[in-house]
Structure formats: structure tokens, C-alpha cells
Amino acid sequence: MSKKRGLSLEEKRGKILEIFYESQDFYLLKELEKLGPKKGVITQSVKDVVQSLVDDDLVLKDKIGTSVYFWSLPSCAGNQLRNVYRKLESDLQSSKKRHTELVEQCNALKKGREESDEREEALEELKAIELKHNELKDEMGQYADNDPAAFEAMKNAIEVAHAAANRWTDNIFTLQQWCSNNFPQAKEELEQMYKDVGIPEDFDYLELSPVPLSSVGDQTVDGCP
């Protein structure tokens, strides 16, 4: 024997509405939860079903004192359906109007774009210009290293790094002097420590050699001054 199929949500909604329509009375939720099983709607799902009907304005509710009452009349459903119909009709008219506008725009855009020999030639010329543009763009990228602005930015970065390196060199010399003044008896140990941490005996300030500007100006694109 096959197992009886449970009611769908829409079927449950219809059963709960039958309770209201048949009696045309007001109910508390707990009363509906008792009546629901008689219509095939289990007690545990009555609350959710009633709330879905309230959300769709098919069931009305109001709080009187501390109690919340629910009710619905056949006219409520009729009014709701009429409201839905009017909204759908309005949406349909708006969609038709928008469709007409889009068709008109499409037709307007087609004007002047009819297939012709002149149009095909113009499109081919446009493709050739775009191809040449991309080739020149790639070629310019090959000479980015010779861009005066890029060179100046690199030069400034080198100067900043050079100044920072010499500040650290000065700090190291200051620290070495402090160690020598405060621990004169540990001269050999200090020298060994300096070697262990990578400070060579010829450690000194860095000198910044000037970069000749001709190294940039001499490297130019063929055919360009």
C-alpha cells in the first residue's frame, strides 16, 4: 500500500482559507492549530501557512488587547486577486511600451549601417588602423626604459636609497665608537663581533657616481630625433 502524499504549501493554504470562508469568523492562532488537522494540515505547519497568507494579504490580523486575531472573507481574496491583476496589467503595459522604445532605438541605430561596399571598406580601414596602433603601442613599450620621466624617477630613487644607506653607515660608526669608549678592554672581541655580523674592515660611506644623461638621449627610436 502506497504512502499517502502530504499536502503541498498551496494546498495547505487553500485548506486554511476554507476554515475562514466556511465560518467567516475570527480565530486565535491556537484555535487554527486545532482546526488545521481536521483539514489535513498538521499542527506544526499551521503557523507558517497562516503567516504566508497574511504576507499575501489573503488573511488579515489584528491585535486586540493581548491577543492576535486572524480572519478572512471571500471578498478579501477577490480584492487581492483584483489588485494582483491590476499590477500585472500595469507591468504588461510598461513592458510593451519599453519593447516599442527598444525596437525604435534599434531601427534608428541601423540607419547608416546598412551593408555596402563603402561600409566594408571603412571597416577594413578601421581594422588596419587599430592593428597599426597596437603595433606602435608595443614598439613604444620596448623603449620604456629610455623614457626621460622614467629615468628621472629611477635617478631620484637611487639618491634616496644612497642617502638611507649612508645614514645607516653613520649609525654603525656611532655605535662602534660608543662600544670602543665604553669597552676599551674588549677591542679584539668587538672587532671579531663586527666581522661575524658582516662589517668588513674597509667598511665606509657609499659614494654616488653621477649617471650621464647621454645614456638616455643617445638611445632613440630609429627615425626619431
Side-chain angles (χ1 to χ4, degrees), residues 206-217:
L206 293 176
E207 293 184 2
L208 182 61
S209 300
V211 179
L213 293 177
S214 59
S215 61
V216 177

Side-chain angles (χ1 to χ4, degrees), residues 65-161:
T66 58
S67 302
V68 178
Y69 287 87
F70 298 87
W71 74 93
S72 180
L73 301 174
S75 59
C76 294
N79 291 334
Q80 175 64 11
L81 290 175
R82 281 189 288 273
N83 291 336
V84 172
Y85 173 79
R86 283 194 291 269
K87 183 178 185 305
L88 292 175
E89 183 67 21
S90 176
D91 291 344
L92 177 60
Q93 294 302 323
S94 297
S95 297
K96 287 182 178 179
K97 181 179 178 181
R98 180 59 177 161
H99 175 263
T100 302
E101 292 174 351
L102 291 174
V103 170
E104 292 176 352
Q105 291 178 12
C106 182
N107 292 333
L109 291 173
K110 287 181 179 179
K111 292 181 179 179
R113 299 187 179 186
E114 297 83 0
E115 295 297 330
S116 64
D117 294 340
E118 291 80 3
R119 175 176 168 78
E120 289 297 325
E121 291 178 1
L123 289 175
E124 290 297 327
E125 184 178 356
L126 176 61
K127 290 180 181 179
I129 292 174
E130 290 178 343
L131 179 61
K132 185 62 176 179
H133 170 75
N134 291 330
E135 290 176 353
L136 291 174
K137 187 176 179 181
D138 292 339
E139 186 175 353
M140 288 178 64
Q142 297 176 7
Y143 297 96
D145 293 339
N146 299 320
D147 182 12
F151 174 79
E152 188 64 25
M154 181 175 63
K155 179 182 176 183
N156 292 336
I158 292 174
E159 291 175 352
V160 171

Side-chain angles (χ1 to χ4, degrees), residues 152-199:
E152 188 64 25
M154 181 175 63
K155 179 182 176 183
N156 292 336
I158 292 174
E159 291 175 352
V160 171
H162 173 260
N166 280 339
R167 280 198 303 272
W168 278 104
T169 301
D170 193 54
N171 291 338
I172 292 172
F173 284 154
T174 301
L175 180 60
Q176 287 179 328
Q177 186 62 45
W178 184 88
C179 291
S180 298
N181 293 338
N182 289 274
F183 307 101
Q185 69 281 4
K187 179 179 179 182
E188 294 182 359
E189 289 82 353
L190 290 173
E191 290 178 353
Q192 184 59 44
M193 181 187 69
Y194 299 151
K195 293 179 180 179
D196 292 340
V197 298
I199 301 176

